[in-house]
Amino acid sequence: MAAVRISSRSGLPSLLLYLGIGIAMGQDGIFDVKFDNAELTQVIGYAALVVILAEGGLGTKWKEVRPALPAAAVLSTVGVGISVGVTASAAHYLVGLDWRQALIIGAVVSSTDAAAVFSVLRKVPLPSRITGVLEAESGFNDAPVVILVVAFSAVGPVEHWYVLVGEIALELAIGAAIGLAVGWLGSFGIRHVALPASGLYPIAVMAIAVSAYAAGAMAHGSGFLAVYLAAMVLGNSKLPHWPATRGFADGLGWLAQIGMFVLLGLLVTPHDLVDDFWPAVVVGLVLTAVARPLSVFISLAPFRLPKREKALMSWAGLRGAVPIILATIPMVSGIEGSTRVFNIVFVLVIVYTLIQGPTLPWLAKALKISDDPSETADLGIESAPLERLRGHLLSVEVPGRSRMHGVEVAELRLPAGAAVTLVVREGKSFVPAPSTVLRHGDELLVVATDPVRDATEARLRAVGEGGKLAGWLGTGGAGRQASGPADLPHLAKLARKLGRGGGDRTGDRTGGTRTPH
């Protein structure tokens, strides 16, 4: 775990540290461990990639990705094609590789790594429109890239481009359909079946996501796209014990990355990298300065994004573990010159991650691209089913920028059958009164009966986004709407408060006495 802490403090993607550990253990290293099993590395790398994609899908917020889906889909298909063509041409004409090797390199390095991008951008949060495109692209572009690399690495002549396009489209369609179906069925089952132990929920979620990969691969579709979409559906389905599930997936993702990177470091032979250093630098320079910007600007031309955002996306095309894993495919297939292809990809990833990674936060600040402080933060809600009582216990966190700040408990207008039973504030808990004013950082315990569980969560999220007037001002929610006589007394009371400036109160009053703080 020391590597994780060093990576967090230095701003460098942990990829480099774990690769360094593997190199130090392997040939020419301290322990001189001889490991050259490319087939085993590929199998383990695929398994680790499935886990990493599942973890990434679980952490993808649908409301951020949904507007970015068209742009991300074009960037991960048309953009990949542009990047492959430009990079392969450079590898052929500038480095002297034959066309098969050049096409393999062009396809291998066209896959981006979201984990590497956001590990260095954690201190410079980006607007959701940018993170949505980058996250979705990183989840989508692995599938077409894998298909291309496998096709270019097959023994015999390479298929015509229109045949490859048809195969890619078919496999993506099959993978997408299976991923969405498995994700929906899995989320439905988890929400309606009470497991005997809370610790089984994280395992069940990951098992469902992995089964999506297996189902997609067996149906001759894209298993990688299937697992990502299934995980994204699960991650946006408000599952029970969600924080525990998210933490489990995050830890499992770290474990997969650590094992995969160390194994890749073991596979490489450092003294063989010397001859391929400058070819890797040349190919990487064309990829970073020409191919990636062209793919971004051409692919996103119809979407009218600002040029500075396109510039940041161009520089944010970090390559991580995926290209190195994919570089083992021609080695396993026995393609001539595959070892040199692997060495060039390995050097390229290390060199340009060292250059791009630390400069990404600086570029974001220079381009004046940062998160919009006016955007409201989503509520963190954990649900624990109470099977015998036919109810649910909701744990609600009120984050900064949430418009639930300043709202009284009574003004939440929760459905009948739901109530706020406890408030935890600054480490102290108390039972709230109807007039208790909620604040940033509060944690609420809300009990809801089974029939109104979904309506209660919808109402809480609506107040978090729209404040006390959610529903009256068009914000969605399941609470009462101001459309009948029953709302008139509440409206009159609210009007009197606003007239006295009561709507800006931050103190808590309970029948003339203050509630604990």
Side-chain angles (χ1 to χ4, degrees):
M1 292 302 101
V4 178
R5 292 193 294 270
I6 294 173
S7 173
S8 299
R9 293 174 182 176
S10 64
L12 292 175
S14 55
L15 157 70
L16 301 181
L17 295 172
Y18 301 132
L19 281 176
I21 292 173
I23 293 174
M25 294 172 59
Q27 301 181 52
D28 299 341
I30 300 174
F31 300 99
D32 197 25
V33 176
K34 299 187 183 302
F35 179 80
D36 58 358
N37 194 330
E39 186 173 0
L40 177 61
T41 303
Q42 180 183 325
V43 171
I44 296 177
Y46 271 31
L49 182 56
V50 169
V51 174
I52 293 170
L53 284 173
E55 189 273 331
L58 291 173
T60 300
K61 295 182 179 180
W62 173 245
K63 69 176 185 179
E64 294 183 357
V65 172
R66 180 175 56 185
L69 282 180
V74 175
L75 188 58
S76 58
T77 51
V78 176
V80 164
I82 295 172
S83 179
V84 171
V86 174
T87 307
S89 298
H92 177 71
Y93 291 109
L94 300 181
V95 177
L97 299 179
D98 63 46
W99 273 113
R100 181 185 291 272
Q101 297 172 357
L103 287 171
I104 290 175
I105 287 183
V108 163
V109 298
S110 295
S111 180
T112 59
D113 192 316
V117 172
F118 293 109
S119 67
V120 298
L121 282 177
R122 61 189 179 275
K123 295 182 180 179
V124 187
L126 296 175
S128 58
R129 61 182 176 275
I130 296 180
T131 59
V133 173
L134 292 176
E135 287 185 10
E137 181 204 5
S138 66
F140 293 163
N141 65 9
D142 290 339
V145 165
V146 169
I147 297 171
L148 287 175
V149 175
V150 171
F152 295 150
S153 301
V155 177
V158 178
E159 295 179 324
H160 295 293
W161 66 268
Y162 51 86
V163 177
L164 285 178
V165 171
E167 290 182 357
I168 291 174
L170 179 60
E171 291 195 24
L172 292 180
I174 295 174
I178 291 177
L180 294 174
V182 171
W184 185 86
L185 292 173
S187 64
F188 180 84
I190 290 179
R191 285 168 57 86
H192 291 82
V193 175
L195 299 179
S198 60
L200 293 177
Y201 284 90
I203 298 175
V205 170
M206 292 301 296
I208 292 170
V210 173
S211 67
Y213 171 82
M218 291 179 63
H220 301 287
S222 174
F224 293 115
L225 181 60
V227 67
Y228 180 77
L229 290 179
M232 187 167 65
V233 173
L234 290 166
N236 290 272
S237 298
K238 306 171 187 176
L239 302 180
H241 303 287
W242 177 245
T245 300
R246 190 70 187 92
F248 176 79
D250 189 46
L252 203 60
W254 271 106
L255 184 62
Q257 291 187 67
I258 292 172
M260 177 175 56
F261 294 156
V262 171
L263 194 62
L264 291 171
L266 283 172
L267 184 63
V268 73
T269 304
H271 68 261
D272 290 341
L273 301 178
V274 177
D275 294 337
D276 296 317
F277 178 82
W278 288 113
V281 171
V282 171
V283 174
L285 182 62
V286 173
L287 170 68
T288 306
V290 181
R292 173 67 180 182
L294 277 178
S295 65
V296 170
F297 277 82
I298 294 176
S299 300
L300 301 183
F303 299 98
R304 299 181 181 178
L305 293 174
K307 291 183 179 179
R308 56 193 180 93
E309 294 185 3
K310 293 180 182 178
L312 182 64
M313 292 181 191
S314 300
W315 193 248
L318 285 178
R319 272 69 193 172
V322 177
I324 304 178
I325 294 173
L326 297 181
T328 63
I329 295 177
M331 296 177 69
V332 175
S333 301
I335 298 299
E336 183 181 355
S338 58
T339 301
R340 189 184 184 196
V341 169
F342 179 86
N343 291 338
I344 290 176
V345 172
F346 193 93
V347 173
L348 186 154
V349 169
I350 292 179
V351 171
Y352 285 92
T353 300
L354 278 172
I355 296 174
Q356 291 176 271
T359 57
L360 268 174
W362 172 84
L363 181 61
K365 292 180 181 179
L367 294 174
K368 298 181 180 179
I369 299 177
S370 60
D371 194 9
D372 185 0
S374 65
E375 293 185 3
T376 58
D378 189 22
L379 293 176
I381 301 179
E382 177 182 2
S383 172
L386 306 173
E387 184 67 16
R388 290 187 302 168
L389 303 179
R390 295 189 59 79
H392 294 264
L393 180 64
L394 306 180
S395 175
V396 184
E397 297 179 1
V398 183
R401 303 200 314 272
S402 172
R403 292 197 173 100
M404 191 177 284
H405 176 79
V407 176
E408 293 184 3
V409 170
E411 292 170 336
L412 293 174
R413 296 184 291 123
L414 298 178
V420 180
T421 59
L422 196 70
V423 174
V424 180
R425 178 177 296 164
E426 297 178 355
K428 297 181 180 180
S429 59
F430 60 92
V431 177
S435 58
T436 297
V437 179
L438 303 177
R439 297 179 176 178
H440 293 149
D442 285 353
E443 182 175 354
L444 317 180
L445 293 183
V446 180
V447 175
T449 58
D450 193 59
V452 300
R453 184 256 183 226
D454 292 338
T456 301
E457 182 168 343
R459 178 60 195 166
L460 290 169
R461 293 189 184 278
V463 176
E465 295 177 0
K468 65 181 68 178
L469 297 183
W472 287 323
L473 298 181
T475 305
R480 296 182 294 116
Q481 304 299 309
S483 57
D487 287 303
L488 293 179
H490 191 88
L491 282 170
K493 177 183 176 183
L494 178 60
R496 288 195 298 272
K497 287 182 182 178
L498 293 176
R500 297 194 304 267
D504 295 327
R505 290 183 297 124
T506 57
D508 299 336
R509 298 187 182 277
T510 310
T513 60
R514 297 181 66 83
T515 58
H517 287 259

